[in-house]
Amino acid sequence: GFTSKLQRTTCPKAAETLVGLDKSFNSRQLKVGLLYVKSGQMTEEEIFNNQEGSRNFQDFMDELGSLVTLKEFKGYRGGLDVEHEQTGERSLYREWSGYEVMFHVSTLLPHNNSD
């Protein structure tokens, strides 16, 4: 699985930084952007034109949360449209340790070639 590919950081201040981030959050509801970038992609246009991710990206998403249908979703929506599907039909969501996390996943957002 994906977790077997994770590596321990060698940054000496990583733990201190994460603890600081944890203390700075006042809300139990978070929205997090998740982008899929193919090898060699350099521009914002190339990245946001990705309509699907790789198998590894899917595995990563599976570790982060569960796909939910946005229409009439009752949990934290993170600004995503749950009435008219203007921000897509599905997104990635996770409840964890009293937090609600809604991921804004680039490959799940509506795509328009003129954007």
Side-chain angles (χ1 to χ4, degrees), residues 49-73:
N49 279 331
N50 292 329
Q51 296 180 37
E52 58 185 41
S54 67
R55 181 70 213 151
N56 285 338
F57 185 69
Q58 184 60 52
D59 290 345
F60 179 60
M61 287 176 48
D62 291 344
E63 294 293 328
L64 290 176
S66 301
L67 282 176
V68 295
T69 301
L70 290 174
K71 185 91 169 164
E72 300 179 12
F73 182 71

Side-chain angles (χ1 to χ4, degrees), residues 27-40:
S27 175
R28 306 294 276 176
Q29 298 173 322
L30 307 168
K31 60 181 172 182
V32 176
L34 186 59
L35 296 172
Y36 174 68
V37 182
K38 292 178 185 175
S39 179

Side-chain angles (χ1 to χ4, degrees), residues 8-94:
R8 185 176 297 269
T9 182
T10 58
C11 178
K13 293 196 175 218
E16 180 182 325
T17 301
L18 289 172
V19 168
L21 282 172
D22 185 50
K23 289 180 180 178
S24 71
F25 289 120
N26 292 327
S27 175
R28 306 294 276 176
Q29 298 173 322
L30 307 168
K31 60 181 172 182
V32 176
L34 186 59
L35 296 172
Y36 174 68
V37 182
K38 292 178 185 175
S39 179
Q41 288 185 326
M42 303 297 258
T43 68
E44 188 176 305
E45 182 178 279
E46 290 172 323
I47 295 166
F48 281 105
N49 279 331
N50 292 329
Q51 296 180 37
E52 58 185 41
S54 67
R55 181 70 213 151
N56 285 338
F57 185 69
Q58 184 60 52
D59 290 345
F60 179 60
M61 287 176 48
D62 291 344
E63 294 293 328
L64 290 176
S66 301
L67 282 176
V68 295
T69 301
L70 290 174
K71 185 91 169 164
E72 300 179 12
F73 182 71
K74 301 300 183 206
Y76 174 64
R77 62 185 181 169
L80 296 175
D81 179 18
V82 296
E83 292 179 23
H84 306 290
E85 299 179 337
Q86 292 182 354
T87 54
E89 296 177 9
R90 299 178 304 151
S91 197
L92 195 64
Y93 175 80
R94 175 86 181 246

